[in-house]
Amino acid sequence: MNEGVLAVDLGGTNLRMAAVADDGAILHLTRRSTPKSVTPVELISLAGEMADECIAKIGSETTLLGIAFAAPAPSARNSEGILTRLPNIPTLNGMNLKAALRDRFSFPVTVENDAIAAAIGEHWMGASKDADTSIIITLGTGVGGGIIIDGEPYRGVDGTAGEIGHVCVIPDGHPCGCGSRGCVEQYASATAIVRMARENGLDFSTSRDVYNAFQGGDERAAIVFRQMGSYLGIVLAGLVNTLNPDMIVIAGGASGAWDAFIGPLKDEIHLRAFHAPSTRVKIARTQLGDNAGILGAARSAILNAESLTVV
Ligand SMILES: [Zn+2]
């Protein structure tokens, strides 16, 4: 009899669920669009439907040990399990996800911040597999962050650690959804790339369009990505000095523009961070891509099930 878990990645655009074996193999993966203005009841109903599909597909060969949900909320794993500050899915603000999942599913429930889940996933199966201390930055609608120290995710006292996207780079800069101003999220997310392109006279609706313009030789698009790389590099230089990591993994949709921003990013790290940690740190692209969060959530559920067994 094989063992596995259900892992869910909740995003503003897609809800993805997979049945994952305890060795990390994805047994079945299913995806739905996240309904616009999804309510807590709709979310749980959709998750239930997807779980039924996964369970039917894997058959009775695999025993499921638990379910883990990666959510784009800073304190997703706090003791109360209440989701707060979901700028892209505001209708779920205040939802007690953990309690709702417990009511619907008969297995142990784990709720994890999505960027921390991605960090756990890359450390388990991906780019930072051999790195004891690593940082992941996810460049999507926002900028997420996750930190692994000595092989363990670092969550902080309230479970909110790793909010690297909200490190300030310009004190009086662009207003941020978090209530502050000039956070690096406002200069390095996919959303920010589109805004900065517009400020430079390029009217596109996606960061991919801006990248295509860069590839076509558009100097205004090149300026946008240079700014993005520089601001991100300034923040990462601070983290390199603070944590002395083996590796920084860059993930998320906007990481696809790698060649457009990685030069200025590395330049800032080497310019600003101390010599030893800045020459030590490797800057790597995600190896798991879209599956980093789902695999990290799966790993959390497996560890949670093991700890319950021990107790
Ligand atoms: Zn912010």
Side-chain angles (χ1 to χ4, degrees):
M1 182 66 82
N2 304 316
E3 293 184 331
V5 293
L6 293 176
V8 191
D9 192 4
L10 168 64
T13 312
N14 288 308
L15 179 66
R16 302 162 77 246
M17 183 185 290
V20 181
D22 57 3
D23 64 357
I26 293 179
L27 306 171
H28 180 71
L29 191 142
T30 184
R31 172 201 303 252
R32 306 278 189 285
S33 294
T34 307
K36 224 177 164 49
S37 308
V38 64
T39 65
V41 172
E42 285 168 343
L43 178 68
I44 296 301
S45 158
L46 202 53
E49 182 190 299
M50 294 166 80
D52 290 343
E53 179 190 320
C54 287
I55 291 165
K57 290 280 182 188
I58 61 172
S60 54
E61 302 291 294
T62 304
T63 305
L64 290 174
L65 304 175
I67 181 167
F69 227 90
S75 52
R77 198 177 158 122
N78 64 14
S79 52
E80 297 85 19
I82 294 174
L83 302 183
T84 54
R85 278 203 37 227
L86 294 102
N88 303 311
I89 325 171
T91 44
L92 298 182
N93 269 321
M95 177 187 185
N96 190 330
L97 179 60
K98 205 183 279 182
L101 290 169
R102 278 200 191 116
D103 287 345
R104 172 61 181 77
F105 295 100
S106 51
F107 359 87
V109 168
T110 309
V111 177
E112 190 70 82
N113 168 269
D114 59 352
I116 293 181
I120 295 170
E122 291 287 346
H123 180 55
W124 185 32
M125 308 276 299
S128 50
K129 198 173 175 188
D130 300 319
D132 280 346
T133 296
S134 61
I135 297 166
I136 193 165
I137 302 282
T138 58
L139 308 174
T141 313
V143 172
I147 298 168
I148 304 277
I149 296 178
D150 296 333
E152 296 292 330
Y154 181 72
R155 297 193 173 86
V157 179
D158 295 306
T160 67
E163 286 292 335
I164 296 164
H166 300 282
V167 175
C168 180
V169 283
I170 302 181
D172 298 316
H174 201 268
C176 184
C178 73
S180 183
R181 299 185 84 93
C183 299
V184 72
E185 175 165 298
Q186 297 305 320
Y187 304 95
S189 63
T191 319
I193 291 165
V194 171
R195 190 201 77 242
M196 294 193 299
R198 202 162 287 150
E199 289 165 359
N200 280 277
L202 289 171
D203 199 10
F204 291 128
S205 53
T206 71
S207 60
R208 176 82 217 180
D209 295 334
V210 185
Y211 181 60
N212 289 342
F214 162 80
Q215 285 188 308
D218 191 302
E219 181 53 26
R220 292 166 298 177
I223 288 170
V224 167
F225 285 112
R226 278 205 295 273
Q227 283 179 329
M228 171 208 181
S230 296
Y231 287 130
L232 207 47
I234 289 168
V235 171
L236 294 178
L239 287 168
V240 164
N241 276 348
T242 309
L243 296 172
N244 187 193
D246 296 302
M247 181 175 280
I248 295 170
V249 181
I250 302 181
S255 66
W258 185 264
D259 58 322
F261 68 79
I262 197 63
L265 184 153
K266 286 184 175 173
D267 287 349
E268 292 292 345
I269 291 177
H270 292 298
L271 190 71
R272 293 171 187 273
F274 292 135
H275 179 73
S278 69
T279 41
R280 151 85 53 196
V281 68
K282 296 181 216 50
I283 315 288
R285 286 177 84 156
T286 171
Q287 278 182 8
L288 303 179
D290 282 351
N291 289 337
I294 228 161
L295 285 169
R299 181 67 175 157
S300 282
I302 292 163
L303 294 175
N304 196 16
E306 283 174 1
S307 71
L308 293 173
T309 310
V310 171
V311 171

